[in-house]
Amino acid sequence: MQMNDYEREHSQFVRRHGAECTVLLKTDGAFPLEEPGKIALYGSGARRTLKGGTGSGEVNSRYFVTAEEGLAAAGFTVTTKAWMDGYDKAKAEAKVAFMKAMKQEARERRQNVMIISMGRTPDEPTYDLPLDGEGEAAVYVLSRVSGEGADRSPVGGDILLSDTEIRDILACHRKYSRFMLVLNVGGVVDLSPVAEVGNILVLSQLGTETGHILADILLGKQNPSGKLTTTWTAWGDYPAMGEFGEKNDTRYREGIYVGYRYFDSVGKTPLYPFGFGLSYTTFALSQAKATLEGETVKTSVTVCNTGRFPGRQVAQTYVSIPAGKLDEPYQVLAAFAKTKELAPGESETVEMAFSLRDIAPYDEASAAYILESGDYLLRLGDSSRDTTVCAAVRIPETITVLQCKNVLDKPDFTDWQAPASAHTLPENVPVLPLAAGAIATRTVADAPDPAIDPRVAALSREQLIKMNLGAYDPKGGVASMIGNAGFTVAGAAGQSCMTVPGFPSLVMADGPAGLRLSRRYALDKEGKIHALESSIPASLTDFMPKVFLWAMKLMAYRPKKTDKLGEQFATAIPIGTAVAQSFDPALAEGLGDIVGREMERFGVHLWLAPALNIHRSIRCGRNFEYFSEDPLVSGVFAGAITRGVQRHPHAGTTIKHYAFNNQERNRTQNNSQVSERAAREIYLKGFGIAVRMAQPKAVMTSYNLVNGRHTNARRDLIGDVLRSEFGYEGIVMTDWITVGYENEKDCLYPNSNAAQVCMAGGDLFMPGAQHDYDRIKAGLEDGTVTEQQLRINATRVLHMAEKLC
């Protein structure tokens, strides 16, 4: 296979570091294998391995290595070709039945089948194939497709294992002395029915090199060193007080008790806790220490490799905040650090640091972040369920850390509270008293609007409106809906206004696991770009009418002899959850660097990624592209990836979706009801961390409403929080087609409105359409839209375009 040097270099980087993103949940010492030999390979992901999620997550790379291909390339003899052939047949039959059912559902709902099928996949088939493969070892690769447009369900073949999967996994475990269950998944699967299996690996979905990385892990060439960023447990153990998947109002009744905050606070033991992950080797932590310098807490711990293989370990610092006026979870993650690769017997002392200011809870009554008086217990360990108190910070009196203002309307419920946790200072634990005046109260000041650029001041009204919209074809069409509204880069998702002479246009490409572009294009003698293959995601083409596909083929551009032909092969990197599981921000920065390099190569200015919404529920279909249930992990990894991308002067990230984008059902008209405290401590916090770490060039608002108003039309969220409180300096854009296309019946809430978005300080309404132009124009005429705000927005867009273009 002919590859460019950049492709080779980037794929080698992904392969070299891939095992850092994988999590070993169980090991009985049967792996790694000494050498390749005969191996029995089973499971839905054996041949149909997944490199990532669907929808915006699809990356058009040159190649992809499946588990079967990776094992063969490593020298294994796979002895179960007949089993995989049989599974392929069963899967094909299931797909036919699925497509028939989707078309019937579309007719009944009077909707476009492409829309209702988005993100949905066929049920896992039922089959009875003999498990007669030979080999020194056996591997069962279980895959799960997840993606944009549909949420997951607690049924067999999705969150739950199917009866067929349970039967075969347990049979393999009992038949083969060396057996590993490999999870090629984008989210949590309930493993309780197969708990007896001795070796379980969360391989995740690692991009182009997934199959090679699996082979390297089986042979011990790489050692799994990731940790879970979301709690894995039996489906019935997850909290049920918060709503999910409601059509109109979704109430976040669980408040701040998301993920491990819930499990730790109620004393419920999960199968595999947040922060958990094993290794081929073993580690011991000792000599935990803590110091306090002003408002900064520093912890350290010595990590020793006590096993037989080289490996890396993650140390984690949690804080138990004393409950007083505010209820508090048992503990919250405050810092983490990963060792270098330690040889057997080698030790390293790792250091972590955080500001007390950054762990302050939010008090709605005073509209402030506060630190109440009491002892703040510092816990060190290697998972949320394996921590020991090493010191305590004593705060003598309540301190207001940051005075701001409440911005969200109140929901129609009161947040659930966990029973009070035991908060006892152990004997002989050092107490670190906070010095008087060590933490000064800060007050949020309104961020000033930029001075209107003279060039923007000179624009006509028509030009000014168009500067607030993406560049669009007045005829519209399906291409914009699926994120293909670019004009100067084949397959780009969109770009900013192109009709004002002398004003550069920002080119945007989708993500989040690499760039989604057309792989091949032609540049004609007039300078126009033509994609030479469909950029429509493969997950949608199955449901297009044959006549439509025929018409697309007929209308496809045919290169001329005078055309310049080009390629845009992008590298598919690991999905967001996998990147965060590495607990290595330096690795995330390196992956961002890969994306930034390819952006500059192909002429893309803004990558529509990373996404950092919270894993509020394991049912969310887009969790694969999000990082964690924890806001610190989410913010740090979004910031690290942004740093990597923005090493390159013409490349910027677009962190998204701001905010509360935690389900896919009716996503453009669903109202997330959230308390101010939960919003700030859980769902907004990661955005603030990413902004302060890396100043991403763009922020994308979410589709949904929050407490009755669209997030993209809330000046309080955009101005008061994002710009004033977080200090954000870049541009704000909407998600694509916010006017809605799901067409759910009996929706209580309206679709988004371009005029309202502009007045809220949303700089770009994407991808733009004639009706958006008309709405803004009507707003100018009736006074609900001001030219001054449009000029502020246009100034921001112009200045960002000049920085990146």
Side-chain angles (χ1 to χ4, degrees), residues 135-451:
E136 292 79 22
V139 172
Y140 189 105
V141 182
L142 181 127
S143 288
R144 287 290 187 267
V145 177
S146 54
E148 183 178 9
D151 291 311
R152 301 179 65 204
S153 300
V155 297
D158 194 349
I159 290 174
L160 306 183
L161 299 176
S162 71
D163 291 341
T164 304
E165 290 170 333
I166 295 170
R167 179 198 68 200
D168 287 356
I169 290 169
L170 293 178
C172 286
H173 167 63
R174 293 159 186 167
K175 175 178 179 179
Y176 298 96
S177 59
R178 305 179 83 170
F179 170 67
M180 180 177 282
L181 171 59
V182 173
L183 304 169
N184 172 222
V185 299
V188 176
V189 177
D190 182 350
L191 298 175
S192 56
V194 294
E196 67 183 71
V197 172
N199 300 278
I200 304 177
L201 173 72
V202 181
L203 179 67
S204 196
Q205 297 165 349
L206 304 176
T208 52
E209 296 295 305
T210 301
H212 285 323
I213 295 166
L214 173 60
D216 288 345
I217 291 172
L218 294 176
L219 291 170
K221 294 180 179 179
Q222 294 194 59
N223 192 342
S225 65
K227 301 283 187 176
L228 293 179
T229 61
T230 292
T231 304
W232 281 52
T233 194
W235 164 248
D237 288 343
Y238 288 100
M241 77 286 287
E243 295 174 349
F244 181 87
E246 301 297 324
K247 180 171 66 176
N248 289 306
D249 289 280
T250 300
R251 294 170 177 83
Y252 292 32
R253 287 193 175 96
E254 70 279 8
I256 61 172
Y257 295 93
V258 176
Y260 71 89
R261 287 168 166 80
Y262 166 80
F263 286 97
D264 292 350
S265 298
V266 301
K268 185 182 287 289
T269 301
L271 291 175
Y272 305 106
F274 173 89
F276 174 81
L278 301 175
S279 170
Y280 284 151
T281 193
T282 54
F283 299 94
L285 275 60
S286 63
Q287 302 178 52
K289 298 177 182 178
T291 59
L292 178 63
E293 300 176 12
E295 65 181 47
T296 301
V297 177
K298 295 182 178 180
T299 60
S300 66
V301 66
T302 299
V303 181
C304 179
N305 183 344
T306 57
R308 300 185 297 114
F309 299 95
R312 301 182 70 185
Q313 175 65 302
V314 178
Q316 302 159 42
T317 299
Y318 295 81
V319 180
S320 292
I321 299 172
K325 178 182 181 181
L326 302 176
D327 61 297
E328 296 295 338
Y330 175 75
Q331 61 183 357
V332 296
L333 182 69
F336 57 87
K338 194 168 189 176
T339 68
K340 66 180 182 180
E341 184 171 84
L342 300 176
E346 186 178 9
S347 296
E348 179 186 5
T349 299
V350 295
E351 298 180 347
M352 295 160 275
F354 66 93
S355 170
L356 289 169
R357 184 182 300 276
D358 293 337
I359 64 164
Y362 189 79
D363 175 32
E364 293 182 32
S366 60
Y369 292 89
I370 64 172
L371 291 168
E372 296 194 70
S373 61
D375 291 334
Y376 289 65
L377 308 183
L378 306 180
R379 301 177 182 273
L380 268 77
D382 57 10
S383 81
S384 61
R385 280 305 175 98
D386 188 10
T387 61
T388 302
V389 177
C390 70
V393 173
R394 180 164 292 167
I395 296 180
E397 58 184 7
T398 298
I399 301 170
T400 295
V401 170
L402 181 68
Q403 185 66 58
C404 40
K405 57 184 175 182
N406 294 328
V407 297
L408 298 184
D409 312 280
K410 287 187 176 293
D412 62 10
F413 61 88
T414 300
D415 283 353
W416 179 84
Q417 294 185 13
S421 301
H423 192 88
T424 305
L425 181 66
E427 294 183 5
N428 302 318
V429 167
V431 175
L432 311 173
L434 182 71
I439 302 179
T441 300
R442 297 175 184 170
T443 301
V444 175
D446 291 340
D449 290 326

Side-chain angles (χ1 to χ4, degrees), residues 613-630:
N613 295 103
I614 294 296
H615 290 181
R616 174 181 175 248
S617 168
I618 64 170
R619 288 170 286 181
C620 180
R622 297 188 78 166
N623 277 356
F624 73 95
E625 62 182 278
Y626 304 156
F627 297 114
S628 176
E629 66 189 23
D630 182 76

